[in-house]
Amino acid sequence: MDQRPIGVFDSGVGGLSILRQIRVLLPNEDVLFFADQVHVPYGPRPLSEVRTFAEGITNFLLEQCSKLIVVACNTASAAALHHLRSTFPTIPFVGMEPAVKPAAQTSRSRVVGVLATPATFQGKLFTSVVERFASDVTVLQQVLPHMVELIEAGNLDGPETQEIIRQGVTPLLEQGADTLVLACTHYPFVIPLLSKLVGHNVQVIDPAPAIARQVERLLKQHDLDAPTENTGRVTYFTSGDPERLSEMSLRLIGETGDAKQVYWRGECLHLKAN
Ligand code: DGL
């Protein structure tokens, strides 16, 4: 039993898609949710820069007594998961790995499309997942330019968002993809629009429920689960605008709380005094 919180982080509101599933599966766990919104988007940045951010955020979440860290960001996982595990060897980490495995197992056309940021495709993690799980499947890569910024701005189904998704998925469908993997944690918030555009015959894989199950498994394995009688609470932190994060959390996942302001000084994060 361990009453300390789980730390969850992303560049922005994308991590809320993971937080939502953690809350469903583990309602008795306290969670610290961190959004690095002063630096969003991470996707077009060099991997080394994202790695520096991820390490600074992990240090901050550990200072706030996190017992396990969820890197709720494919880009940060691609850039830093390996580094974080070796830098903090005693801390259990759950990271995002593009869900190419379930896609390869279930695709009937044997063509799978992966939607992610440029940095996620550059990382070794993506190549290794494809090599390990999809050697007998054609894996198509697609970036959705500016989609993260539009989702951050709350534009989930406007004309611009529709157009970017249409332009992104059309070539994948034309090449025979029957399965789309969402390999950016922002994208589950446009699933209603995406499903409408691609139709019922195309499977869309959101890895968030599987990530929550992995958190549950690791907590059990390390004997870190919170007491069952505990009512879990979420504390929100952002390096951007706290009011905006609170509003977006309510809108995107139907729950919120006062967000705390955090700021970067060099490579370290500090909580703003009230
Ligand atoms: N939500 C993120 C991901 O899963 C980050 C996207 C970004 O900041 O570009 O990759």
Side-chain angles (χ1 to χ4, degrees):
M1 289 293 161
D2 195 320
Q3 214 138 16
R4 289 175 302 156
I6 298 170
V8 176
F9 78 88
D10 180 36
S11 59
V13 298
L16 294 170
S17 67
I18 305 298
L19 175 67
R20 173 169 61 187
Q21 297 300 331
I22 291 175
R23 296 285 291 150
V24 169
L25 192 66
L26 304 165
N28 54 326
E29 294 291 341
D30 288 341
V31 180
L32 308 179
F33 179 82
F34 183 94
D36 191 13
Q37 289 172 299
V38 78
H39 291 139
V40 70
Y42 276 4
R45 293 176 185 271
L47 293 174
S48 56
E49 188 180 24
V50 176
R51 194 175 307 132
T52 303
F53 297 154
E55 186 172 339
I57 297 165
T58 300
N59 271 319
F60 174 78
L61 290 171
L62 293 176
E63 277 159 28
Q64 309 296 315
C65 295
S66 299
K67 60 185 173 185
L68 174 148
I69 304 282
V70 183
V71 185
C73 175
N74 287 81
T75 308
S77 298
L81 191 57
H82 185 70
H83 171 75
L84 293 175
R85 286 191 169 127
S86 58
T87 308
F88 305 96
T90 59
I91 304 297
F93 282 91
V94 175
M96 305 297 305
E97 188 177 89
V100 167
K101 184 180 179 186
Q105 283 166 345
T106 52
S107 166
R108 276 170 290 131
S109 69
R110 314 309 292 148
V111 182
V112 164
V114 180
L115 303 173
T117 67
T120 295
F121 287 128
Q122 278 159 31
K124 287 197 193 109
L125 192 61
F126 179 71
T127 316
S128 123
V129 165
V130 172
E131 278 170 10
R132 275 182 291 145
F133 303 120
S135 52
D136 59 341
V137 170
T138 302
V139 179
L140 307 172
Q141 305 179 16
Q142 188 61 272
V143 165
L144 299 177
H146 305 298
M147 185 52 53
V148 166
E149 293 96 309
L150 286 165
I151 294 170
E152 285 288 321
N155 184 345
L156 307 184
D157 54 10
E160 205 181 335
T161 306
Q162 292 199 24
E163 199 39 42
I164 291 169
I165 295 183
R166 198 191 314 277
Q167 281 184 17
V169 297
T170 302
L172 304 180
L173 302 184
E174 281 171 0
Q175 290 171 82
D178 69 349
T179 304
L180 299 179
V181 174
L182 303 186
C184 169
T185 54
H186 279 73
Y187 298 168
F189 297 118
V190 292
I191 287 178
L193 175 61
L194 184 60
S195 303
K196 208 163 73 189
L197 290 173
V198 300
H200 294 303
N201 293 333
V202 175
Q203 178 189 205
V204 176
I205 300 187
D206 170 10
I211 295 297
R213 289 195 296 275
Q214 176 65 2
V215 173
E216 183 182 39
R217 264 193 297 274
L218 269 195
L219 287 176
K220 285 214 163 64
Q221 188 184 320
H222 292 268
D223 202 14
L224 289 173
D225 10 17
T228 40
E229 67 278 12
N230 197 52
T231 305
R233 290 185 332 136
V234 182
T235 308
Y236 297 82
F237 300 90
T238 179
S239 58
D241 176 350
E243 266 181 47
R244 179 89 191 122
L245 177 61
S246 299
E247 275 167 32
M248 283 300 283
S249 180
L250 186 61
R251 170 154 176 226
L252 294 175
I253 65 167
E255 72 166 301
T256 192
D258 280 344
K260 295 180 199 289
Q261 176 81 68
V262 181
Y263 62 95
W264 288 95
R265 196 191 291 142
E267 295 179 2
C268 294
L269 279 163
H270 302 270
L271 200 50
K272 189 169 173 200
N274 284 326

mmCIF file of all heavy atoms in Angstrom, residues 61-101:
data_model
loop_
_atom_site.group_PDB
_atom_site.id
_atom_site.type_symbol
_atom_site.label_atom_id
_atom_site.label_comp_id
_atom_site.label_asym_id
_atom_site.label_seq_id
_atom_site.Cartn_x
_atom_site.Cartn_y
_atom_site.Cartn_z
ATOM 1 N N LEU A 61 8.149 16.121 -10.635
ATOM 2 C CA LEU A 61 7.093 15.213 -10.144
ATOM 3 C C LEU A 61 7.619 14.336 -9.000
ATOM 4 O O LEU A 61 6.867 13.982 -8.090
ATOM 5 C CB LEU A 61 6.557 14.357 -11.301
ATOM 6 C CG LEU A 61 5.721 15.127 -12.338
ATOM 7 C CD1 LEU A 61 5.430 14.245 -13.558
ATOM 8 C CD2 LEU A 61 4.406 15.621 -11.723
ATOM 9 N N LEU A 62 8.907 14.021 -9.041
ATOM 10 C CA LEU A 62 9.476 13.227 -7.937
ATOM 11 C C LEU A 62 9.619 14.087 -6.672
ATOM 12 O O LEU A 62 9.396 13.609 -5.559
ATOM 13 C CB LEU A 62 10.825 12.621 -8.342
ATOM 14 C CG LEU A 62 10.734 11.559 -9.446
ATOM 15 C CD1 LEU A 62 12.121 11.081 -9.854
ATOM 16 C CD2 LEU A 62 9.867 10.366 -9.009
ATOM 17 N N GLU A 63 9.944 15.378 -6.872
ATOM 18 C CA GLU A 63 9.997 16.291 -5.708
ATOM 19 C C GLU A 63 8.616 16.387 -5.039
ATOM 20 O O GLU A 63 8.505 16.622 -3.852
ATOM 21 C CB GLU A 63 10.404 17.699 -6.151
ATOM 22 C CG GLU A 63 11.905 17.907 -6.296
ATOM 23 C CD GLU A 63 12.211 19.108 -7.200
ATOM 24 O OE1 GLU A 63 11.378 20.055 -7.278
ATOM 25 O OE2 GLU A 63 13.264 19.064 -7.851
ATOM 26 N N GLN A 64 7.574 16.228 -5.873
ATOM 27 C CA GLN A 64 6.199 16.259 -5.339
ATOM 28 C C GLN A 64 5.768 14.858 -4.859
ATOM 29 O O GLN A 64 4.583 14.585 -4.718
ATOM 30 C CB GLN A 64 5.196 16.736 -6.401
ATOM 31 C CG GLN A 64 5.544 18.034 -7.104
ATOM 32 C CD GLN A 64 5.560 19.225 -6.171
ATOM 33 O OE1 GLN A 64 4.658 19.378 -5.355
ATOM 34 N NE2 GLN A 64 6.588 20.029 -6.271
ATOM 35 N N CYS A 65 6.752 13.969 -4.701
ATOM 36 C CA CYS A 65 6.530 12.638 -4.104
ATOM 37 C C CYS A 65 5.805 11.622 -4.976
ATOM 38 O O CYS A 65 5.116 10.734 -4.449
ATOM 39 C CB CYS A 65 5.776 12.766 -2.774
ATOM 40 S SG CYS A 65 6.709 13.614 -1.543
ATOM 41 N N SER A 66 5.945 11.713 -6.299
ATOM 42 C CA SER A 66 5.312 10.696 -7.158
ATOM 43 C C SER A 66 5.927 9.320 -6.899
ATOM 44 O O SER A 66 7.139 9.201 -6.724
ATOM 45 C CB SER A 66 5.506 11.036 -8.636
ATOM 46 O OG SER A 66 4.908 12.269 -8.925
ATOM 47 N N LYS A 67 5.080 8.284 -6.944
ATOM 48 C CA LYS A 67 5.575 6.911 -6.710
ATOM 49 C C LYS A 67 5.827 6.175 -8.027
ATOM 50 O O LYS A 67 6.533 5.169 -8.059
ATOM 51 C CB LYS A 67 4.578 6.128 -5.857
ATOM 52 C CG LYS A 67 3.182 5.996 -6.471
ATOM 53 C CD LYS A 67 2.214 5.300 -5.506
ATOM 54 C CE LYS A 67 0.791 5.340 -6.058
ATOM 55 N NZ LYS A 67 -0.183 4.785 -5.116
ATOM 56 N N LEU A 68 5.217 6.682 -9.104
ATOM 57 C CA LEU A 68 5.352 6.072 -10.441
ATOM 58 C C LEU A 68 5.113 7.197 -11.435
ATOM 59 O O LEU A 68 4.313 8.097 -11.166
ATOM 60 C CB LEU A 68 4.293 4.978 -10.584
ATOM 61 C CG LEU A 68 4.109 4.267 -11.914
ATOM 62 C CD1 LEU A 68 3.654 2.810 -11.644
ATOM 63 C CD2 LEU A 68 3.073 4.916 -12.820
ATOM 64 N N ILE A 69 5.803 7.155 -12.569
ATOM 65 C CA ILE A 69 5.649 8.231 -13.559
ATOM 66 C C ILE A 69 5.085 7.669 -14.864
ATOM 67 O O ILE A 69 5.599 6.677 -15.386
ATOM 68 C CB ILE A 69 7.017 8.901 -13.886
ATOM 69 C CG1 ILE A 69 7.702 9.441 -12.621
ATOM 70 C CG2 ILE A 69 6.860 10.001 -14.947
ATOM 71 C CD1 ILE A 69 7.179 10.729 -12.072
ATOM 72 N N VAL A 70 4.044 8.315 -15.364
ATOM 73 C CA VAL A 70 3.481 7.955 -16.658
ATOM 74 C C VAL A 70 3.889 9.037 -17.660
ATOM 75 O O VAL A 70 3.513 10.201 -17.507
ATOM 76 C CB VAL A 70 1.937 7.867 -16.609
ATOM 77 C CG1 VAL A 70 1.392 7.425 -17.966
ATOM 78 C CG2 VAL A 70 1.480 6.918 -15.502
ATOM 79 N N VAL A 71 4.680 8.645 -18.650
ATOM 80 C CA VAL A 71 5.052 9.581 -19.712
ATOM 81 C C VAL A 71 3.908 9.521 -20.730
ATOM 82 O O VAL A 71 3.905 8.702 -21.645
ATOM 83 C CB VAL A 71 6.409 9.205 -20.341
ATOM 84 C CG1 VAL A 71 6.832 10.267 -21.354
ATOM 85 C CG2 VAL A 71 7.471 9.027 -19.264
ATOM 86 N N ALA A 72 2.903 10.401 -20.513
ATOM 87 C CA ALA A 72 1.651 10.314 -21.289
ATOM 88 C C ALA A 72 1.770 11.080 -22.598
ATOM 89 O O ALA A 72 0.888 11.859 -22.974
ATOM 90 C CB ALA A 72 0.491 10.842 -20.447
ATOM 91 N N CYS A 73 2.876 10.849 -23.276
ATOM 92 C CA CYS A 73 3.239 11.608 -24.474
ATOM 93 C C CYS A 73 4.107 10.703 -25.335
ATOM 94 O O CYS A 73 5.167 10.250 -24.879
ATOM 95 C CB CYS A 73 4.025 12.845 -24.036
ATOM 96 S SG CYS A 73 4.665 13.825 -25.390
ATOM 97 N N ASN A 74 3.666 10.422 -26.545
ATOM 98 C CA ASN A 74 4.467 9.568 -27.425
ATOM 99 C C ASN A 74 5.797 10.217 -27.775
ATOM 100 O O ASN A 74 6.823 9.548 -27.886
ATOM 101 C CB ASN A 74 3.706 9.271 -28.723
ATOM 102 C CG ASN A 74 2.574 8.306 -28.498
ATOM 103 O OD1 ASN A 74 1.490 8.698 -28.047
ATOM 104 N ND2 ASN A 74 2.802 7.046 -28.775
ATOM 105 N N THR A 75 5.756 11.547 -27.975
ATOM 106 C CA THR A 75 6.970 12.253 -28.378
ATOM 107 C C THR A 75 8.023 12.194 -27.264
ATOM 108 O O THR A 75 9.190 11.873 -27.508
ATOM 109 C CB THR A 75 6.637 13.719 -28.719
ATOM 110 O OG1 THR A 75 5.563 13.720 -29.664
ATOM 111 C CG2 THR A 75 7.822 14.454 -29.286
ATOM 112 N N ALA A 76 7.603 12.464 -26.034
ATOM 113 C CA ALA A 76 8.545 12.413 -24.907
ATOM 114 C C ALA A 76 9.003 10.979 -24.649
ATOM 115 O O ALA A 76 10.154 10.752 -24.259
ATOM 116 C CB ALA A 76 7.900 13.012 -23.656
ATOM 117 N N SER A 77 8.127 10.013 -24.898
ATOM 118 C CA SER A 77 8.541 8.609 -24.719
ATOM 119 C C SER A 77 9.603 8.251 -25.751
ATOM 120 O O SER A 77 10.608 7.610 -25.429
ATOM 121 C CB SER A 77 7.342 7.656 -24.857
ATOM 122 O OG SER A 77 6.391 7.919 -23.856
ATOM 123 N N ALA A 78 9.369 8.695 -26.997
ATOM 124 C CA ALA A 78 10.346 8.408 -28.056
ATOM 125 C C ALA A 78 11.681 9.067 -27.726
ATOM 126 O O ALA A 78 12.750 8.502 -27.930
ATOM 127 C CB ALA A 78 9.829 8.925 -29.394
ATOM 128 N N ALA A 79 11.615 10.278 -27.189
ATOM 129 C CA ALA A 79 12.847 11.043 -26.954
ATOM 130 C C ALA A 79 13.559 10.618 -25.676
ATOM 131 O O ALA A 79 14.788 10.717 -25.603
ATOM 132 C CB ALA A 79 12.509 12.533 -26.871
ATOM 133 N N ALA A 80 12.792 10.182 -24.658
ATOM 134 C CA ALA A 80 13.403 10.155 -23.328
ATOM 135 C C ALA A 80 13.148 8.916 -22.475
ATOM 136 O O ALA A 80 13.777 8.789 -21.423
ATOM 137 C CB ALA A 80 12.900 11.380 -22.548
ATOM 138 N N LEU A 81 12.253 8.022 -22.877
ATOM 139 C CA LEU A 81 11.884 6.948 -21.939
ATOM 140 C C LEU A 81 13.099 6.125 -21.485
ATOM 141 O O LEU A 81 13.290 5.882 -20.289
ATOM 142 C CB LEU A 81 10.824 6.049 -22.596
ATOM 143 C CG LEU A 81 10.142 5.059 -21.665
ATOM 144 C CD1 LEU A 81 9.482 5.759 -20.489
ATOM 145 C CD2 LEU A 81 9.089 4.257 -22.440
ATOM 146 N N HIS A 82 13.917 5.760 -22.439
ATOM 147 C CA HIS A 82 15.093 4.966 -22.142
ATOM 148 C C HIS A 82 16.013 5.731 -21.163
ATOM 149 O O HIS A 82 16.464 5.193 -20.149
ATOM 150 C CB HIS A 82 15.802 4.694 -23.471
ATOM 151 C CG HIS A 82 16.958 3.791 -23.345
ATOM 152 N ND1 HIS A 82 16.817 2.456 -23.073
ATOM 153 C CD2 HIS A 82 18.293 4.035 -23.428
ATOM 154 C CE1 HIS A 82 18.022 1.913 -22.992
ATOM 155 N NE2 HIS A 82 18.926 2.844 -23.205
ATOM 156 N N HIS A 83 16.215 7.005 -21.476
ATOM 157 C CA HIS A 83 17.072 7.872 -20.649
ATOM 158 C C HIS A 83 16.501 8.017 -19.227
ATOM 159 O O HIS A 83 17.232 7.943 -18.238
ATOM 160 C CB HIS A 83 17.169 9.236 -21.340
ATOM 161 C CG HIS A 83 17.826 10.294 -20.518
ATOM 162 N ND1 HIS A 83 19.188 10.326 -20.315
ATOM 163 C CD2 HIS A 83 17.311 11.353 -19.835
ATOM 164 C CE1 HIS A 83 19.488 11.358 -19.545
ATOM 165 N NE2 HIS A 83 18.372 12.003 -19.238
ATOM 166 N N LEU A 84 15.174 8.200 -19.147
ATOM 167 C CA LEU A 84 14.555 8.378 -17.821
ATOM 168 C C LEU A 84 14.732 7.114 -16.983
ATOM 169 O O LEU A 84 15.040 7.190 -15.789
ATOM 170 C CB LEU A 84 13.061 8.712 -17.961
ATOM 171 C CG LEU A 84 12.736 10.065 -18.602
ATOM 172 C CD1 LEU A 84 11.229 10.219 -18.797
ATOM 173 C CD2 LEU A 84 13.289 11.228 -17.769
ATOM 174 N N ARG A 85 14.519 5.963 -17.621
ATOM 175 C CA ARG A 85 14.641 4.697 -16.864
ATOM 176 C C ARG A 85 16.061 4.515 -16.346
ATOM 177 O O ARG A 85 16.264 4.019 -15.236
ATOM 178 C CB ARG A 85 14.227 3.509 -17.734
ATOM 179 C CG ARG A 85 12.719 3.453 -17.906
ATOM 180 C CD ARG A 85 12.274 2.138 -18.529
ATOM 181 N NE ARG A 85 10.831 2.019 -18.444
ATOM 182 C CZ ARG A 85 10.020 1.757 -19.482
ATOM 183 N NH1 ARG A 85 10.531 1.558 -20.674
ATOM 184 N NH2 ARG A 85 8.724 1.670 -19.299
ATOM 185 N N SER A 86 17.067 4.938 -17.137
ATOM 186 C CA SER A 86 18.424 4.744 -16.609
ATOM 187 C C SER A 86 18.823 5.849 -15.635
ATOM 188 O O SER A 86 19.614 5.626 -14.732
ATOM 189 C CB SER A 86 19.443 4.567 -17.736
ATOM 190 O OG SER A 86 19.406 5.672 -18.572
ATOM 191 N N THR A 87 18.231 7.042 -15.776
ATOM 192 C CA THR A 87 18.570 8.132 -14.848
ATOM 193 C C THR A 87 17.903 7.951 -13.482
ATOM 194 O O THR A 87 18.443 8.355 -12.454
ATOM 195 C CB THR A 87 18.141 9.497 -15.455
ATOM 196 O OG1 THR A 87 18.683 9.590 -16.765
ATOM 197 C CG2 THR A 87 18.631 10.674 -14.639
ATOM 198 N N PHE A 88 16.702 7.354 -13.496
ATOM 199 C CA PHE A 88 15.955 7.164 -12.234
ATOM 200 C C PHE A 88 15.650 5.662 -12.065
ATOM 201 O O PHE A 88 14.498 5.232 -12.197
ATOM 202 C CB PHE A 88 14.642 7.955 -12.267
ATOM 203 C CG PHE A 88 14.802 9.427 -12.565
ATOM 204 C CD1 PHE A 88 14.660 9.922 -13.860
ATOM 205 C CD2 PHE A 88 15.110 10.320 -11.542
ATOM 206 C CE1 PHE A 88 14.815 11.274 -14.141
ATOM 207 C CE2 PHE A 88 15.271 11.685 -11.817
ATOM 208 C CZ PHE A 88 15.119 12.160 -13.115
ATOM 209 N N PRO A 89 16.698 4.864 -11.786
ATOM 210 C CA PRO A 89 16.518 3.401 -11.851
ATOM 211 C C PRO A 89 15.549 2.828 -10.816
ATOM 212 O O PRO A 89 15.048 1.730 -10.997
ATOM 213 C CB PRO A 89 17.938 2.865 -11.632
ATOM 214 C CG PRO A 89 18.703 3.984 -11.028
ATOM 215 C CD PRO A 89 18.073 5.258 -11.450
ATOM 216 N N THR A 90 15.260 3.577 -9.764
ATOM 217 C CA THR A 90 14.376 3.002 -8.728
ATOM 218 C C THR A 90 12.901 3.352 -8.983
ATOM 219 O O THR A 90 12.023 2.882 -8.252
ATOM 220 C CB THR A 90 14.753 3.528 -7.319
ATOM 221 O OG1 THR A 90 14.633 4.960 -7.347
ATOM 222 C CG2 THR A 90 16.172 3.138 -6.941
ATOM 223 N N ILE A 91 12.638 4.170 -9.977
ATOM 224 C CA ILE A 91 11.260 4.630 -10.213
ATOM 225 C C ILE A 91 10.617 3.827 -11.348
ATOM 226 O O ILE A 91 11.190 3.731 -12.432
ATOM 227 C CB ILE A 91 11.254 6.135 -10.610
ATOM 228 C CG1 ILE A 91 11.943 6.977 -9.540
ATOM 229 C CG2 ILE A 91 9.843 6.656 -10.895
ATOM 230 C CD1 ILE A 91 11.264 6.961 -8.187
ATOM 231 N N PRO A 92 9.416 3.282 -11.127
ATOM 232 C CA PRO A 92 8.731 2.635 -12.251
ATOM 233 C C PRO A 92 8.161 3.682 -13.223
ATOM 234 O O PRO A 92 7.540 4.653 -12.796
ATOM 235 C CB PRO A 92 7.590 1.844 -11.593
ATOM 236 C CG PRO A 92 7.732 2.029 -10.118
ATOM 237 C CD PRO A 92 8.701 3.145 -9.858
ATOM 238 N N PHE A 93 8.400 3.466 -14.521
ATOM 239 C CA PHE A 93 7.881 4.360 -15.565
ATOM 240 C C PHE A 93 6.932 3.585 -16.477
ATOM 241 O O PHE A 93 7.205 2.431 -16.815
ATOM 242 C CB PHE A 93 9.019 4.872 -16.463
ATOM 243 C CG PHE A 93 9.829 5.971 -15.843
ATOM 244 C CD1 PHE A 93 10.964 5.672 -15.095
ATOM 245 C CD2 PHE A 93 9.462 7.303 -16.005
ATOM 246 C CE1 PHE A 93 11.716 6.692 -14.513
ATOM 247 C CE2 PHE A 93 10.209 8.319 -15.441
ATOM 248 C CZ PHE A 93 11.339 8.011 -14.686
ATOM 249 N N VAL A 94 5.855 4.243 -16.891
ATOM 250 C CA VAL A 94 5.011 3.711 -17.958
ATOM 251 C C VAL A 94 5.111 4.717 -19.097
ATOM 252 O O VAL A 94 4.886 5.915 -18.893
ATOM 253 C CB VAL A 94 3.535 3.571 -17.511
ATOM 254 C CG1 VAL A 94 2.655 3.141 -18.681
ATOM 255 C CG2 VAL A 94 3.425 2.564 -16.359
ATOM 256 N N GLY A 95 5.472 4.230 -20.287
ATOM 257 C CA GLY A 95 5.607 5.148 -21.422
ATOM 258 C C GLY A 95 4.673 4.754 -22.543
ATOM 259 O O GLY A 95 4.038 3.701 -22.499
ATOM 260 N N MET A 96 4.584 5.616 -23.533
ATOM 261 C CA MET A 96 3.729 5.355 -24.689
ATOM 262 C C MET A 96 4.567 4.692 -25.784
ATOM 263 O O MET A 96 5.644 5.195 -26.136
ATOM 264 C CB MET A 96 3.174 6.664 -25.266
ATOM 265 C CG MET A 96 2.430 7.546 -24.290
ATOM 266 S SD MET A 96 0.946 6.817 -23.603
ATOM 267 C CE MET A 96 0.032 6.398 -25.059
ATOM 268 N N GLU A 97 4.057 3.577 -26.293
ATOM 269 C CA GLU A 97 4.693 2.892 -27.417
ATOM 270 C C GLU A 97 3.625 2.824 -28.501
ATOM 271 O O GLU A 97 2.508 2.403 -28.207
ATOM 272 C CB GLU A 97 5.075 1.488 -26.935
ATOM 273 C CG GLU A 97 5.891 0.692 -27.870
ATOM 274 C CD GLU A 97 6.285 -0.670 -27.261
ATOM 275 O OE1 GLU A 97 5.509 -1.617 -27.422
ATOM 276 O OE2 GLU A 97 7.358 -0.763 -26.650
ATOM 277 N N PRO A 98 3.908 3.274 -29.739
ATOM 278 C CA PRO A 98 2.843 3.222 -30.758
ATOM 279 C C PRO A 98 2.198 1.827 -30.811
ATOM 280 O O PRO A 98 2.904 0.814 -30.851
ATOM 281 C CB PRO A 98 3.593 3.559 -32.049
ATOM 282 C CG PRO A 98 4.748 4.405 -31.595
ATOM 283 C CD PRO A 98 5.165 3.828 -30.265
ATOM 284 N N ALA A 99 0.860 1.781 -30.804
ATOM 285 C CA ALA A 99 0.128 0.505 -30.669
ATOM 286 C C ALA A 99 0.103 -0.275 -31.982
ATOM 287 O O ALA A 99 -0.947 -0.690 -32.478
ATOM 288 C CB ALA A 99 -1.283 0.782 -30.164
ATOM 289 N N VAL A 100 1.302 -0.483 -32.516
ATOM 290 C CA VAL A 100 1.448 -1.192 -33.789
ATOM 291 C C VAL A 100 1.158 -2.685 -33.592
ATOM 292 O O VAL A 100 0.636 -3.358 -34.484
ATOM 293 C CB VAL A 100 2.880 -0.955 -34.331
ATOM 294 C CG1 VAL A 100 3.206 -1.902 -35.462
ATOM 295 C CG2 VAL A 100 3.035 0.501 -34.774
ATOM 296 N N LYS A 101 1.435 -3.202 -32.400
ATOM 297 C CA LYS A 101 1.244 -4.644 -32.154
ATOM 298 C C LYS A 101 -0.230 -5.047 -32.296
ATOM 299 O O LYS A 101 -0.547 -5.921 -33.113
ATOM 300 C CB LYS A 101 1.793 -4.999 -30.774
ATOM 301 C CG LYS A 101 1.731 -6.480 -30.463
ATOM 302 C CD LYS A 101 2.286 -6.766 -29.081
ATOM 303 C CE LYS A 101 2.209 -8.238 -28.763
ATOM 304 N NZ LYS A 101 2.615 -8.501 -27.364
#
